[in-house]
Amino acid sequence: IRRNEKTKDVIGFNGQYQENREFGYEHLLSPYAAIQNGLFFVRQHKLRPTLTVNAGLRVDYSSIDISEFYAPVWNRSREIEYYSQRNENIQKEFLNYSASAGFSWFPFTDWNVKANLGRSFRIPTAAELSINGVHHGTFRHELGNKDLNSEKGYQLDLGLIMRKKNLDISFSPYLNYFEDYIYLSPTSNFGYVDQTGSLVLLPEAGQTFQYKQDNAVITGFEFLSDYHLVKDLHYEIAVEYVYKYNLNSELPLPFTPPASVQNSLDYRWRTGFINWNAGIQWKHYFDQNNVDRNELSTPGYDFFNINAGISRKIGKREVSAYFKIRNVFDQRYFNHLSRYRLLNLPEQGRDFMIQTVFKF
């Protein structure tokens, strides 16, 4: 809704219904039905040509109904000894709100300053509440927590952007504080304790990871600079850093990506009707030693890529061809966030790629 030339409002409603049914031979997630509805209002107002402010409010109601599940426990004689309860019947309702306010300011023609302060929430998913089984895609036994509440967060995001003729720079720091932050935590256990007090070990299951909830702080920044050394040659550097801290355990949160620095050099030129490009990329990942209890640390590594390509227009359409080599020096490395990290399996070695693109 445009109130006038300076003010614009957005009013909306969205809803969704989810239903899960279970088939197959091994239990992971029970049948459930979930409903979520949200009503929101956003206003954007231009105070002057160089300053725009915005604010928004959203209210959500959600409900979830998860069915209980009993799995058979077999003895060595291939007889069912008893039925183990994987999860209880769970019925929960959530009502919460989120809000934010911010501004975008151009103090100079080529400078932009942004800031946003917000309050958010997230309801626990069906998997976080009730999952209990071997998640084969991640090589681990995942265990839900029926006592999870809504996660509430308070965020401060800043942004500084400069765009000049041959130089672009952006810096985006952020600080988030969470109450009842929901996360998947590695434990020292294997299996789960059922309703009889017995330890149940699942076939092909590895280390047990359980969903937990604690107060937490997450902070970090992103930095990007693109500098044109000459008209056709430009150098780009990108830096990413994330720090997660559990205020209850006074330990880092699990699954935190390591800090990284990426350097790229690209050259583009034109001869006749053909566009050419060639580039090299070097990315350095730092050691990740800020890990939770029972989580593996990961050594840092360097990653090199090279690429070359051509493109030209045929009529009104463009045809392109690229040749790329990833991990040029065949570096043996582990991705800290990869599911293969649990198995101590390194990532893919040197590989070659030929790609053609035809736009139509």
Side-chain angles (χ1 to χ4, degrees), residues 29-284:
L29 186 62
S30 291
Y32 71 86
I35 298 174
Q36 184 171 356
N37 298 302
L39 179 66
F40 61 89
F41 171 78
V42 179
R43 167 163 290 185
Q44 185 181 83
H45 180 70
K46 184 172 287 189
L47 292 176
R48 52 178 182 265
T50 59
L51 180 60
T52 301
V53 297
N54 59 77
L57 177 67
R58 179 185 175 103
V59 178
D60 279 81
Y61 167 78
S62 305
S63 66
I64 188 166
D65 187 358
I66 305 172
S67 302
E68 63 181 357
F69 185 86
Y70 286 83
V73 177
W74 305 80
N75 58 27
R76 294 185 178 180
S77 301
R78 297 184 180 181
E79 297 175 343
I80 297 177
E81 190 169 327
Y82 68 97
Y83 286 86
S84 174
Q85 187 179 48
R86 290 287 187 92
N87 66 271
E88 303 176 18
N89 188 10
I90 302 172
Q91 293 180 323
K92 281 183 173 285
E93 293 182 307
F94 304 94
L95 178 64
N96 221 315
Y97 75 95
S98 55
S100 67
F103 69 85
S104 176
W105 177 42
F106 288 86
F108 308 103
T109 303
D110 45 15
W111 286 83
N112 182 208
V113 180
K114 297 181 179 181
N116 191 80
L117 183 64
R119 193 258 192 200
S120 65
F121 79 95
R122 187 176 75 83
I123 64 171
T125 65
E128 293 167 338
L129 289 167
S130 66
I131 194 170
N132 187 358
V134 182
H135 195 164
H136 291 282
T138 58
F139 309 110
R140 61 187 176 225
H141 178 182
E142 295 184 3
L143 192 60
N145 184 346
K146 65 181 179 63
D147 297 320
L148 294 178
N149 299 311
S150 289
E151 171 188 296
K152 297 172 284 294
Y154 304 88
Q155 295 90 25
L156 174 62
D157 299 279
L158 303 175
L160 178 63
I161 302 171
M162 184 195 72
R163 288 193 172 94
K164 291 185 177 293
K165 183 178 180 180
N166 62 342
L167 177 64
D168 290 347
I169 294 177
S170 66
F171 178 59
S172 305
Y174 55 89
L175 174 64
N176 301 330
Y177 167 72
F178 291 95
E179 294 178 358
D180 295 329
Y181 180 75
I182 301 172
Y183 65 100
L184 188 61
S185 175
T187 72
S188 59
N189 301 324
F190 292 81
Y192 71 100
V193 178
D194 67 5
Q195 76 279 8
T196 67
S198 302
L199 177 63
V200 180
L201 299 177
L202 302 178
E204 301 180 4
Q207 182 181 4
T208 300
F209 285 66
Q210 183 165 26
Y211 284 100
K212 295 183 179 180
Q213 200 161 39
D214 285 306
N215 297 339
V217 170
I218 299 178
T219 186
F221 67 87
E222 296 177 357
F223 173 81
L224 178 65
S225 175
D226 189 353
Y227 178 57
H228 288 257
L229 302 170
V230 294
K231 180 181 178 181
D232 298 322
L233 178 65
H234 72 100
Y235 166 70
E236 181 181 283
I237 180 171
V239 182
E240 296 180 353
Y241 173 75
V242 180
Y243 179 73
K244 300 180 180 180
Y245 185 70
N246 188 325
L247 294 173
N248 295 77
S249 68
E250 299 183 349
L251 292 170
L253 286 168
F255 303 112
T256 301
S260 65
V261 180
Q262 177 176 295
N263 297 270
S264 302
L265 193 64
D266 288 288
Y267 184 58
R268 300 187 182 105
W269 70 100
R270 182 181 178 89
T271 58
F273 298 101
I274 299 178
N275 296 314
W276 302 79
N277 67 81
I280 184 170
Q281 181 187 85
W282 165 46
K283 192 163 187 177
H284 174 71

